Amino acid sequence: VDLSDSMRTQDMLDEGEQRDRLSAVRQQIAQLIGERPGDRIALIVFADHAYLLSPLTQETNALLGLTRELDFELVGRTTALGEAILLARQHKAPDRSTALLLVTDGRNTAGSADPLREAKQAAAAGIRLYTLGVGADPDTFAEAMTPAQAPAQSDPSAELDEALLQQLAEVGHGRYFRARTQGDLEAINQALDTLEPVATAQTRYRPNQELYPWPLALAWLLLSWPTRLRWPLRLSRK
């Protein structure tokens, strides 16, 4: 998840109300995590550099708690896309099916890792790469503004490097998504559920064979044995 300064932009329409990009993404990620309880999920955040916020885990409540705490400038102001992909590859579980969702509203402006090179190495390691570009286009941005507001720029997503994100998704055998509104993010979650089916826990059944009669019979025998033993001894005394 991109936490760079541009994620402050309030251009994501949610039922007619303006929301900043990070708030919209937080809601999307929380929904995605909550609906995939069978998956092991890791959370990586990036800006000036990329950081592993949570390793792969099935602790849904912990992941949701971390998602709620995502905030601006937590890790800087720029965008290190390449480092984020590199970190995901380094923490991939071996011999397991893995997908990476890269969420950003900008272009690679920080770090020494080249995004395209890292995407190729991630694909070679068995990671499918999905990219998600966040931000309104000029039309939806104009809808988000009240008549008294003047847009800060004609295209709020001018810094979004869609060409690179599309290329990364192609190299990573995934797909590129574009979210201009909150509704788009919800639709993307549904598409991801189709592309990456939710893991289901395997239930193993074993036949039930009731064994309690055996120890019960043994206990009855031990309790009754002294009584049977004393009765003939009394007769012998007479």
Side-chain angles (χ1 to χ4, degrees):
V1 179
D2 186 349
L3 297 184
S4 61
D5 196 51
S6 58
M7 292 291 282
R8 296 175 180 270
T9 306
Q10 295 188 351
D11 63 347
M12 300 296 288
L13 275 178
D14 181 16
E15 296 182 352
E17 302 219 351
Q18 302 173 34
R19 301 186 67 186
D20 63 73
R21 294 171 178 174
L22 183 56
S23 295
V25 168
R26 269 198 302 254
Q27 180 174 325
Q28 179 218 9
I29 296 299
Q31 181 183 4
L32 191 64
I33 292 172
E35 294 178 351
R36 305 185 71 90
D39 288 351
R40 299 173 66 205
I41 300 175
L43 190 58
I44 293 174
V45 295
F46 61 94
D48 294 348
H49 296 285
Y51 300 90
L52 182 68
L53 200 58
S54 170
L56 287 166
T57 180
Q58 285 184 305
E59 294 294 332
T60 301
N61 289 335
L63 288 166
L64 292 175
L66 290 171
T67 301
R68 287 191 293 268
E69 295 174 3
L70 296 180
D71 202 358
F72 307 111
E73 300 183 13
L74 188 64
V75 288
R77 298 191 172 203
T78 53
T79 309
L81 292 177
E83 281 192 15
I85 303 172
L86 168 63
L87 196 58
R89 176 170 58 84
Q90 290 174 339
H91 291 273
K92 174 189 181 295
D95 303 322
R96 286 180 178 266
S97 177
T98 303
L100 171 63
L101 175 62
L102 184 70
V103 184
T104 183
D105 69 342
R107 62 183 66 246
N108 189 63
T109 57
S112 58
D114 176 73
L116 188 56
R117 182 179 69 247
E118 295 302 333
K120 291 178 180 178
Q121 293 186 15
I127 299 177
R128 289 176 305 284
L129 178 54
Y130 298 92
T131 56
L132 170 54
V134 181
D137 56 24
D139 293 336
T140 55
F141 186 57
E143 293 178 15
M145 297 293 102
T146 63
Q149 291 176 315
Q153 56 185 14
S154 58
D155 185 0
S157 298
E159 293 301 312
L160 180 62
D161 193 347
E162 287 197 279
L164 175 62
L165 295 179
Q166 290 170 350
Q167 192 173 12
L168 294 177
E170 182 178 356
V171 167
H173 310 292
R175 178 176 166 184
Y176 169 66
F177 299 97
R178 175 68 188 277
R180 299 172 176 83
T181 66
Q182 187 73 56
D184 290 343
L185 291 172
E186 295 172 0
I188 288 168
N189 278 359
Q190 295 176 4
L192 287 171
D193 286 341
T194 301
L195 294 167
E196 299 289 335
V198 178
T200 55
Q202 294 183 351
T203 303
R204 296 182 179 179
Y205 295 94
R206 295 194 304 178
N208 289 330
Q209 183 177 0
E210 296 181 349
L211 301 178
Y212 76 88
W214 297 102
L216 184 62
L218 179 61
W220 179 85
L221 181 61
L222 293 175
L223 289 173
S224 63
W225 181 259
T227 302
R228 294 182 176 183
L229 185 61
R230 287 196 299 270
W231 182 72
L233 288 176
R234 291 193 189 102
L235 290 179
S236 64
R237 290 193 190 101
K238 295 179 179 179

